Amino acid sequence: MARAGRWTLPILVGIALAGMPAVPVGAAPSSAQKAIVRLVNTSQHPDWYSPWQSPAPFSVSGSGFVIAEGRILTNAHVVSDSRDLVLYLDGDSTPYPARIVAIGHECDLALVEPVDPGLLRKVKPLELGDLPVVGDSLETLGYPVGGERISMTRGVVSRIEVQEYMHTALFRHLVIQTDSAINPGNSGGPVLRDGKVVGVAFQVAGALQGVGYVIPNPVVRHFLEDLEDGRYDGFASMGIRLVSMQNPATGRFLRVPANLQGAWIDKVNPGSSADGLLRPGDVLLHVGDAAIDRAGKAVVRGETHDLFRVLDGYQVGRGLPVRVFRDGGVREIEIPLKADPEMVRFTHQWDRMPSYYVVGGLVFVELDVEMLKTFGSDWFENADRALLWTALYEPFSDPALYRRHRVILLRRLDHPVNVRMAWYRNVVVDRVNGREVREIRDVVEAFESNRDRFHVLEYLHQGRLGVLDREAADRANAEILERYGIPEDRRL
Amino acid sequence: MRMRGILAFALLLAGCPSAARAGSPANRSRSAAPASRPAGEVQRAEDHVVTLKVAYQDFDERTPWARRPPSMRTGTATVVEGRFLLTSFYIVKDATLIRVHKRGLPQSAVARVRHWDPFMNLALLEVTEAGFTDDLVPVPISDANPRNGELKTARWKDRQLEIADLRVQKADVQLARSGGQEHVFLVGTTDLAEGGWAEPVFRGRELAGMTTSQDGRTAYVVPAGILAAYLAQARTPATYTGFAGWEARYQVNDDPALAAWLGQEGSPRGIVLRKVPWGATGRGVLQPRDILLSLDGHEIDSSGFYEHPRFGLLDLDQIVIDGHRPGDVVPARILRQGRVMDVQVPLRRYVDSDRLVPRFRVAGAPPYVIAGGLVFRELSMPYLETWGDKWHKKAPVPLVVRLDESAEDQQPGHRRIVFLQGVIPIPYNVGYQELRDLEVREVNGRTVDSLPALDEALRHPVDGFHRVRFAPNGSVAEIVLDADGMEAATRFVLANYRIPRAVVLPQDAPGDLGPACGGGLAP
């Protein structure tokens, strides 16, 4: 479930640029340095408030490094919403066109390649190493702010655990925390131990000094292995919620033998990997090779981790062996893993154009985090409470609502046909012309199939109503689109 | 519902007047020596106005068994018929001692509350010391239109009587302080600095109103008509019925398309009812999507205004206040499904405690139940306000939306929102100590819609366990505790954390509204 703090803590370390400074040729780079490139992405993030608009592009600079087959690994947030992408080799001020091979927003990783397939032929790829341990020395390389040449900083591994990845502000994977200086522009650059890559620099803690985060190789390998079949499937979720069994009463209540320990499954999301296989009331004992402790943590290599640590070892489509205690006995169950596409609407979104529909000057959009962000940087505080509830809490209150994409009347483009409507901004539309709205296509079909004298909007909260004269709205449609410069009345 | 009144009150609360404040009285008169006034002598303001110094101690809504440090507030009261003192509820709320000073003198007498109406923010006091008020003179209540004529407001300060002009700009229907009942206020500019603490407003030698808040130099004045109606009942508290309230929710009917869809021909008139909450005036008679055309003979325009004979255009909420009491029946004309109908609407009192989420804690400790270290509460606006000035943005969203919908969701079986405020850590509740602010739906299989219901449910464990089920959008669906250990655990919590009582049940439990309030018409 979404929380306020979730959206604010870490800061991504890609950097927006006003221009593109040239990189001068310097001293002969080391082998590792030659594999590290600077990426400049001209990005264009859609405007969810005026979804038909083409907002001003802006440049983002980050780092990347060559891995096998002449391809470059970087962060997803460096190359998101890309309209133009170039790379700079170390010591070479020539901008080389590049393109995105694959992008994984859940893990904030992307694979890019130069348009010229021979460009990296002479560059020796960096090699992926093992997961370091706390206290290991690390070197962070990349092109952070404060200069134009490649930069290297040193530090140690200060912590390894599952944390939230800020790029989506929802997905959680393993991270390496380090005191090695990571600054804007370092994003996508390699972090090395003994000359081998242990991860990809990607974010820092906003409120803490000297705390940087690195995407470790288990996550990197998951991303790369996922792409081996030429398709990116993403990360699987089990779709369950675990409740602590640290209170001894729960074990007795669920009649779990004293020699077993695990955590109580109290919810299974409809349509998720576990739906139909696990059920509320099961006690999860083992997932993969990891035992589950009474706090619901997975025990990996003798250390407790969030369950995502185990899931990151499995690809979508694979079977995840789990062991549960149910009805007085232990059962072994294999769960075919799948990704949950519904989770996208609870995250920051990239490389996606917002859907919308304009009719009679009324602008309808689907309610998701990007829409909420139209309330500004403090959107969690500033957004209408009813909208916030409907977007982030209501889907978890009833299984039937989890897959319902709420649609809101975002705003009104003033015209005589609509200007006297009482409610016309940020209201959740429950029904249109008697038709239940489950996604934006329902709104379109309800308007287009209506032959009555009026279009009737029933809003979700407080019994509010909106009515449009159908014929007048139909007549005004083209004029409104023209007057407000809207090229298309819909994007679905 | 307009919130301007609330804002003004909030500002005033932050700036409680103190004896040290600087003020520039527009007019000053020397304090007169206290002496009995010969009969027939013309009274002056000092004969009517007294100062209240109120020691008060309110509760800590976050820690409901604890009180905040005692504090002091100063306000004004006006001597009215019977030598009672008229003031505002907020001045005497949570009072531990009320002292009355007359003529600016340091000597004081003790007063007690004879009656208060928190939802109208009015209170009537009586001085317990015999003879103290003998030389004070009750002020007559004005029957003239308070929008006209020269108005003065007065209070004692620094042993002198400050008298200042007050110029009324408009009459407006607003919420009484902290969102009680809506009624008409006179809104005007005053020369009195930092007023709004129940200063009387005089028109000539009569009482034309009483301030209940002030925002900068803008004063909000309860007009004399409402004061007179209050006093007529408050002198005999046992028979007090209060004021009727209008809580039906509506939307304006400005849109010809909406009006036509509802079957209205011609220009839109009246307002479109959205919801008539359980227990509210009109419940069982008026229905959602009725167009209310007139109420008590007053035609209502498409924005919800009517022509008040004295104040001009006012919100329709004032109709049920003027000259009516709860229990009265007023005629209404509605348009329902294209047909004009005349109906009779019984008026009901605004009762804050009937709300799903009450806006007030009128008196006494915040109710709570501690069971095995789990602290259960009933959701209220005072609790949400513990998140500070921006509580509406800072407090947990699932709780805030309950307040926003509270007036509309109340119904039998869903009378209060009970929630787990937090867990006081002891070994008994290990595993649950991070839980907080979770709405409770069931305990031991019983629906919980009040703390008494929760307290009762905890007396009936199931198969040796206490099971607490939460609203499904929370971080956990259910928790389980050993029934056998709960009593001892509760005792341990009380002893270990020095908490005096495990259970404080609400004094203002929702009333049994009876079937008449439902009227068989589902919203």
Side-chain angles (χ1 to χ4, degrees):
Chain A
M1 204 181 63
R3 301 188 310 273
R6 169 166 297 178
W7 307 94
T8 55
L9 282 176
I11 296 172
L12 300 174
V13 291
I15 179 171
L17 292 178
M20 295 187 298
V23 178
V25 176
S30 72
S31 168
Q33 288 176 355
K34 282 186 71 74
I36 301 166
V37 303
R38 189 164 70 97
L39 292 160
V40 176
N41 175 33
T42 304
S43 176
Q44 190 181 36
H45 192 63
D47 177 355
W48 253 256
Y49 191 64
S50 300
W52 52 85
Q53 295 273 36
S54 296
F58 60 96
S59 289
V60 174
S61 174
S63 305
F65 59 97
V66 179
I67 58 168
E69 299 176 11
R71 286 182 170 175
I72 295 163
L73 189 65
T74 186
N75 283 141
H77 74 261
V78 171
V79 295
S80 293
D81 292 322
S82 181
R83 300 293 178 266
D84 183 69
L85 182 64
V86 296
L87 67 85
Y88 293 86
L89 299 174
D90 185 55
D92 183 351
S93 59
T94 308
Y96 296 102
R99 60 187 165 219
I100 296 166
V101 178
I103 190 162
H105 294 294
E106 306 99 316
C107 57
D108 199 1
L109 290 171
L111 205 57
V112 302
E113 63 185 7
V115 172
D116 175 3
L119 183 68
L120 302 174
R121 192 172 298 139
K122 294 181 180 174
V123 177
K124 184 181 176 188
L126 296 183
E127 188 180 344
L128 296 184
D130 297 326
L131 188 67
V133 297
V134 171
D136 280 358
S137 294
L138 302 178
E139 294 172 346
T140 301
L141 290 97
Y143 295 91
V145 291
E148 297 173 342
R149 303 292 306 277
I150 197 164
S151 156
M152 186 189 76
T153 59
R154 284 201 173 91
V156 298
V157 175
S158 45
R159 183 182 284 169
I160 300 176
E161 66 177 4
V162 171
Q163 291 204 13
E164 182 178 283
Y165 280 36
M166 188 54 197
H167 182 53
T168 58
L170 184 71
F171 290 93
R172 297 168 62 82
H173 305 286
L174 199 65
V175 300
I176 299 169
Q177 181 184 313
T178 178
D179 62 351
S180 177
I182 293 178
N183 290 299
N186 268 122
S187 277
V191 177
L192 307 179
R193 183 191 61 179
D194 300 332
K196 291 186 177 179
V197 174
V198 297
V200 181
F202 80 124
Q203 64 189 29
V204 294
L208 302 175
Q209 293 287 325
V211 177
Y213 295 104
V214 179
I215 302 172
N217 284 342
V219 180
V220 172
R221 287 201 171 94
H222 186 289
F223 175 68
L224 296 175
E225 287 168 14
D226 184 352
L227 295 174
E228 285 174 358
D229 62 358
R231 190 183 71 178
Y232 177 69
D233 296 309
F235 284 73
S237 74
M238 288 180 71
I240 61 171
R241 185 173 62 187
L242 288 180
V243 175
S244 160
M245 288 184 65
Q246 288 172 311
N247 193 289
T250 52
R252 289 192 283 273
F253 174 72
L254 296 168
R255 301 178 189 280
V256 181
N259 62 330
L260 296 180
Q261 72 164 359
W264 182 1
I265 297 173
D266 84 335
K267 187 175 186 179
V268 179
N269 285 340
S272 67
S273 302
D275 190 16
L277 296 169
L278 302 181
R279 57 196 196 203
D282 286 348
V283 176
L284 189 64
L285 305 173
H286 256 82
V287 175
D289 295 331
I292 303 299
D293 72 7
R294 289 192 173 90
K297 299 289 187 185
V299 183
V300 180
R301 292 199 287 184
E303 295 177 348
T304 56
H305 285 275
D306 197 295
L307 193 54
F308 292 102
R309 171 80 173 86
V310 180
L311 285 175
D312 285 353
Y314 289 82
Q315 296 289 342
V316 168
R318 274 190 60 188
L320 174 70
V322 304
R323 188 182 306 157
V324 299
F325 177 81
R326 177 192 296 172
D327 298 334
V330 174
R331 297 173 183 228
E332 307 281 348
I333 297 171
E334 184 165 290
I335 298 175
L337 288 174
K338 54 186 177 183
D340 183 355
E342 295 300 330
M343 294 179 78
V344 171
R345 71 186 204 267
F346 307 118
T347 72
H348 298 307
Q349 294 174 40
W350 313 95
D351 295 308
R352 178 184 160 245
M353 299 299 287
S355 52
Y356 71 91
Y357 177 50
V358 181
V359 60
L362 307 181
V363 181
F364 297 92
V365 299
E366 289 192 343
L367 179 56
D368 56 21
V369 164
E370 288 297 327
M371 183 274 143
L372 292 172
K373 285 160 64 179
T374 63
F375 284 90
S377 56
D378 290 334
W379 60 269
F380 196 88
E381 287 193 1
N382 292 332
D384 180 275
R385 300 291 91 177
L387 283 189
L388 209 57
W389 159 263
T390 308
L392 303 181
Y393 297 86
E394 186 201 60
F396 302 95
S397 67
D398 181 346
L401 294 173
Y402 184 66
R403 295 182 185 281
R404 183 169 178 174
H405 295 200
R406 289 290 193 186
V407 173
I408 66 163
L409 171 53
L410 176 68
R411 60 190 173 116
R412 180 183 73 194
L413 306 169
D414 284 2
H415 184 274
V417 76
N418 61 32
V419 78
R420 296 180 75 173
M421 284 183 72
W423 305 102
Y424 53 84
R425 183 178 298 141
N426 296 327
V427 282
V428 183
V429 181
D430 192 44
R431 290 175 175 274
V432 175
N433 297 325
R435 182 188 183 118
E436 186 180 68
V437 176
R438 303 188 61 80
E439 58 175 335
I440 197 164
R441 289 176 190 278
D442 291 324
V443 176
V444 177
E445 289 172 17
F447 270 96
E448 293 189 340
S449 63
N450 183 32
R451 296 293 174 265
D452 292 341
R453 185 180 160 198
F454 300 102
H455 293 302
V456 180
L457 308 175
E458 296 173 76
Y459 304 128
L460 180 64
H461 298 112
Q462 304 181 358
R464 293 167 174 164
L465 291 167
V467 177
L468 277 179
D469 183 299
R470 182 177 62 83
E471 289 186 1
D474 286 350
R475 283 196 302 273
N477 270 337
E479 181 194 343
I480 292 172
L481 296 177
E482 171 70 20
R483 185 181 294 183
Y484 287 89
I486 301 171
E488 300 287 343
D489 70 345
R490 72 194 71 186
R491 182 189 301 122
L492 304 176
Chain B
M1 303 275 279
R2 293 167 305 282
M3 300 299 288
R4 183 169 36 185
I6 291 177
L7 176 62
F9 292 123
L11 290 169
L12 280 167
L13 276 173
C16 182
S18 68
R21 71 188 170 196
S24 176
N27 190 3
R28 294 187 177 203
S29 73
R30 286 280 174 198
S31 58
S36 296
R37 190 172 303 285
E41 185 173 331
V42 173
Q43 293 89 30
R44 297 177 296 174
E46 62 227 54
D47 298 325
H48 309 310
V49 182
V50 297
T51 298
L52 301 178
K53 293 196 172 171
V54 179
Y56 70 97
Q57 189 174 23
D58 53 5
F59 286 83
D60 183 345
E61 293 286 344
R62 282 266 169 151
T63 314
W65 52 86
R67 286 175 180 264
R68 294 179 188 278
S71 191
M72 182 72 74
R73 59 171 88 95
T74 302
T76 296
T78 307
V79 183
V80 295
E81 186 183 340
R83 288 197 164 75
F84 296 120
L85 307 178
L86 176 66
T87 188
S88 67
F89 163 75
Y90 254 79
I91 289 176
V92 293
K93 184 177 186 296
D94 297 313
T96 51
L97 181 67
I98 304 169
R99 287 179 296 143
V100 182
H101 296 258
K102 60 183 178 182
R103 305 189 190 286
L105 296 174
Q107 295 81 10
S108 65
V110 174
R112 67 180 184 86
V113 175
R114 182 176 178 82
H115 179 267
W116 64 28
D117 187 331
F119 316 122
M120 296 293 288
N121 192 21
L122 295 172
L124 196 63
L125 314 183
E126 55 192 354
V127 177
T128 56
E129 185 178 316
F132 184 81
T133 57
D134 287 354
D135 63 334
L136 298 174
V137 181
V139 63
I141 309 291
S142 173
D143 193 34
N145 187 343
R147 293 195 65 171
N148 304 324
E150 184 179 313
L151 299 180
K152 302 279 189 187
T153 183
R155 73 173 172 206
W156 289 100
K157 186 181 171 191
D158 300 334
R159 302 195 64 179
Q160 300 192 43
L161 189 68
E162 290 184 346
I163 298 178
D165 288 336
L166 189 145
R167 297 166 294 281
V168 173
Q169 270 93 43
K170 64 177 180 178
D172 199 10
V173 174
Q174 301 191 355
L175 285 169
R177 187 169 193 163
S178 286
Q181 188 154 350
E182 289 200 62
H183 65 75
V184 67
F185 284 83
L186 302 173
V187 182
T189 305
T190 176
D191 292 331
L192 200 70
E194 297 178 325
W197 293 87
E199 297 86 17
V201 177
F202 295 108
R203 182 178 185 275
R205 302 193 181 282
E206 296 181 329
L207 185 67
M210 182 182 81
T211 68
T212 52
S213 69
Q214 187 171 315
D215 182 5
R217 291 302 172 104
T218 301
Y220 296 82
V221 177
V222 181
I226 288 178
L227 298 179
Y230 172 69
L231 290 171
Q233 294 191 62
R235 291 192 186 94
T236 53
T239 57
Y240 187 83
T241 58
F243 291 80
W246 175 261
E247 292 184 80
R249 298 302 194 254
Y250 63 86
Q251 72 178 66
V252 299
N253 188 28
D254 288 337
D255 188 349
L258 172 64
W261 180 68
L262 291 169
Q264 190 172 51
E265 296 176 353
S267 298
R269 306 168 304 285
I271 44 93
V272 179
L273 294 173
R274 293 193 283 109
K275 195 156 191 175
V276 186
W278 188 267
T281 288
R283 176 79 181 194
V285 177
L286 305 175
Q287 295 181 8
R289 302 188 185 179
D290 285 348
I291 295 181
L292 182 65
L293 299 167
S294 74
L295 185 65
D296 196 26
H298 299 283
E299 283 195 10
I300 297 166
D301 71 16
S302 62
S303 297
F305 288 88
Y306 75 107
E307 186 67 33
H308 189 282
R310 175 168 285 189
F311 298 117
L313 271 185
L314 285 185
D315 269 15
L316 67 94
D317 306 62
Q318 182 66 19
I319 293 175
V320 299
I321 298 272
D322 267 347
H324 291 298
R325 290 186 181 186
D328 290 355
V329 176
V330 299
R333 175 163 291 180
I334 60 174
L335 182 76
R336 178 178 296 168
Q337 296 174 343
R339 283 181 49 228
V340 174
M341 300 170 61
D342 289 312
V343 296
Q344 299 295 312
V345 177
L347 303 183
R348 296 198 176 97
R349 188 185 179 194
Y350 171 90
V351 182
D352 188 65
S353 60
D354 283 341
R355 284 175 174 264
L356 191 67
V357 183
R359 291 174 176 269
F360 293 95
R361 187 182 51 74
V362 172
Y368 66 89
V369 171
I370 296 175
L374 280 64
V375 182
F376 296 99
R377 304 285 302 277
E378 286 181 355
L379 184 61
S380 66
M381 194 152 116
Y383 177 72
L384 292 171
E385 287 172 337
T386 62
W387 267 269
D389 289 345
K390 294 183 177 177
W391 61 267
H392 199 263
K393 297 180 173 186
K394 302 279 189 187
V397 174
L399 298 185
V400 173
V401 295
R402 287 302 199 180
L403 173 70
D404 291 345
E405 297 170 359
S406 72
E408 316 210 2
D409 274 2
Q410 58 191 14
Q411 53 188 293
H414 194 43
R415 303 301 303 278
R416 291 277 169 87
I417 302 295
V418 175
F419 67 103
L420 175 66
Q421 183 192 350
V423 179
I424 301 170
I426 57 169
Y428 174 77
N429 55 42
V430 69
Y432 306 138
Q433 293 165 1
E434 303 298 319
L435 302 179
R436 57 178 46 85
D437 293 319
L438 293 171
E439 183 179 332
V440 176
R441 290 287 171 84
E442 285 182 8
V443 171
N444 295 329
R446 296 167 180 242
T447 299
V448 166
D449 71 340
S450 68
L451 280 182
L454 177 133
D455 191 42
E456 178 63 25
L458 286 170
R459 300 177 201 277
H460 303 279
V462 179
D463 298 331
F465 296 100
H466 286 298
R467 301 178 62 179
V468 181
R469 285 197 69 81
F470 300 100
N473 54 69
S475 57
V476 59
E478 181 176 10
I479 61 173
V480 177
L481 289 157
D482 276 323
D484 283 347
M486 181 173 274
E487 219 173 287
T490 303
R491 283 197 302 273
F492 179 70
V493 166
L494 298 187
N496 198 42
Y497 288 90
R498 295 186 299 159
I499 297 170
R501 297 168 66 187
V503 176
V504 174
L505 295 179
Q507 298 177 1
D508 58 346
D512 178 8
L513 301 173
C517 286
L521 295 174

